[in-house]
Amino acid sequence: MSWSEQVLTELSAEGHRLTGPRRQILEYILRYTAPFTAEELLADLHQTEVQVGRATVYRTLELLQQHEWLRLVHRPEGEHGYVVGEPGHQHHLVCRACGKVTMFEGCELETLLGGLAERLHFRIESHWLEALGVCRSCQVAGS
Amino acid sequence: MSWSEQVLTELSAEGHRLTGPRRQILEYILRYTAPFTAEELLADLHQTEVQVGRATVYRTLELLQQHEWLRLVHRPEGEHGYVVGEPGHQHHLVCRACGKVTMFEGCELETLLGGLAERLHFRIESHWLEALGVCRSCQVAGS
DNA sequence: TCTCCCAGTGATATACTGTATCGTCTAGCT
DNA sequence: AGCTAGACGATACAGTATATCACTGGGAGA
Ligand SMILES: [Zn+2]
Ligand SMILES: [Zn+2]
Ligand SMILES: [Zn+2]
Ligand SMILES: [Zn+2]
């Protein structure tokens, strides 16, 4: 079952409608290999025969992010971009050369943050971890 | 030597001018206990007798951030805010109740990320770590 | 202390980004 | 097929950030 099929299934199960624009956006998103913004997606869609309204793009991306099918990461330039994700706890490695994102799960931060929280009397509820560097293919290309 | 004096010294050493607006902004920044945005600082300054131009506020904050005298953190609402910082490696705990930020240094992420980088053949150059939760005083107040 | 030069300022205009509104349409159910 | 609430999208609007450019004043050197 592909990513877009999974998303459509879950959305439908929650009572959301599977409209044409949503299907088209879902399909188009998969073309991206690097984080993208709502404006970029909108502009790219307008280059094609697909004509989707600005509001719909923003609404759809936010809906997907709330369901964790999309995630926010910091792009090397500084702003936030969306990347395709899976529900559950996960973090990202962002390549500053090509922008590609590598996911990894199972971070062992809980113990580290647990000790810290106890020491500072701070109740930690969630954390944001992200690494910036150079991916394998860009290392090869650069050397 | 206070934070603003340190900043002024470094800026001067690099050939930047110590202008009136810069001094006033530096002084005002220290009033904040929670992350602030450029627009908020601008509005707050306009409430006082200090009249600084919009462009100057944006330029000054960016200048300070480049020198790591200011840092960006995620505010509970989602956007980025500035907090006073020191140059060097450091991370933040952000309270979702009062917004206050607690810094901590010396994270032991290097080993964790080191193993990961080797496994994924990803050269990690920097990382972003931030925790969201409830600070001590807000825990007391809430219970 | 005085002069001069240019980094810095700030008013204005403009571009960019995101949201509110609201009439229309259609997906999905009966 | 018909109904209806959810979704769409054109438009207007609000908020955020940057470009421009004439002017100012910080500070180095005379
Ligand atoms: Zn790469
Ligand atoms: Zn961010
Ligand atoms: Zn608090
Ligand atoms: Zn660290």
Side-chain angles (χ1 to χ4, degrees):
Chain A
M1 202 183 209
S2 74
W3 178 79
S4 45
E5 286 171 333
Q6 280 187 288
V7 175
L8 289 172
T9 301
E10 177 175 330
L11 289 182
S12 177
E14 290 190 6
H16 296 285
R17 290 190 183 168
L18 309 184
T19 66
R22 283 184 180 161
R23 293 175 188 276
Q24 290 173 319
I25 289 174
L26 279 180
E27 196 175 345
Y28 198 92
I29 281 177
L30 292 172
R31 300 193 194 180
Y32 289 104
T33 60
F36 60 94
T37 65
E39 288 295 326
E40 287 168 357
L41 174 57
L42 182 65
D44 291 345
L45 285 174
H46 280 184
Q47 300 284 41
T48 71
E49 72 287 347
V50 183
Q51 295 301 315
V52 184
R54 170 188 301 271
T56 300
V57 170
Y58 277 90
R59 282 190 290 236
T60 302
L61 292 182
E62 193 182 348
L63 179 67
L64 294 176
Q65 193 212 329
Q66 286 168 354
H67 288 76
E68 295 191 330
W69 292 111
L70 284 181
R71 306 255 179 184
L72 281 178
V73 298
H74 286 121
R75 305 207 296 184
E77 310 92 59
E79 354 73 282
H80 286 164
Y82 289 101
V83 292
V84 171
E86 311 272 337
H89 192 78
Q90 62 185 208
H91 297 293
H92 301 88
L93 308 171
V94 183
C95 175
R96 67 163 165 75
C98 69
K100 201 161 57 187
V101 170
T102 308
M103 296 190 314
F104 67 95
E105 304 178 25
C107 76
E108 290 95 47
L109 272 179
E110 315 304 342
T111 53
L112 191 149
L113 290 176
L116 198 69
E118 192 172 349
R119 189 149 47 83
L120 298 172
H121 304 280
F122 193 102
R123 187 170 77 231
I124 293 178
E125 296 176 342
S126 66
H127 63 266
W128 177 299
L129 168 64
E130 203 177 294
L132 189 67
V134 184
C135 75
R136 183 179 202 173
S137 50
C138 285
Q139 287 176 46
V140 174
S143 61
Chain B
M1 201 183 208
S2 74
W3 178 80
S4 45
E5 285 171 334
Q6 280 187 289
V7 175
L8 289 172
T9 301
E10 178 175 329
L11 289 182
S12 177
E14 291 190 4
H16 296 285
R17 289 188 183 169
L18 309 185
T19 66
R22 282 183 180 161
R23 293 175 187 275
Q24 290 172 319
I25 288 174
L26 280 180
E27 196 175 345
Y28 198 92
I29 281 177
L30 292 173
R31 300 193 193 180
Y32 289 105
T33 60
F36 61 93
T37 65
E39 288 294 327
E40 288 168 356
L41 174 56
L42 182 64
D44 292 344
L45 285 174
H46 280 185
Q47 300 284 41
T48 71
E49 72 287 348
V50 183
Q51 294 301 316
V52 184
R54 170 187 303 272
T56 300
V57 170
Y58 277 91
R59 283 189 292 236
T60 303
L61 293 182
E62 192 182 348
L63 179 66
L64 294 177
Q65 192 212 330
Q66 286 168 354
H67 288 75
E68 294 190 332
W69 290 112
L70 284 182
R71 305 254 180 187
L72 281 178
V73 298
H74 286 122
R75 304 207 296 184
E77 310 91 61
E79 353 74 280
H80 286 163
Y82 290 101
V83 292
V84 171
E86 310 273 336
H89 192 78
Q90 63 185 207
H91 298 295
H92 302 88
L93 307 173
V94 182
C95 175
R96 67 163 164 75
C98 69
K100 202 163 54 187
V101 171
T102 307
M103 295 191 317
F104 67 95
E105 305 179 26
C107 77
E108 289 92 47
L109 272 178
E110 314 304 341
T111 53
L112 191 152
L113 290 176
L116 197 71
E118 193 172 348
R119 189 149 46 84
L120 298 173
H121 303 281
F122 192 103
R123 187 170 76 229
I124 293 178
E125 296 176 341
S126 66
H127 62 265
W128 176 300
L129 169 63
E130 202 177 296
L132 188 66
V134 183
C135 75
R136 183 179 203 174
S137 49
C138 286
Q139 288 176 46
V140 174
S143 62

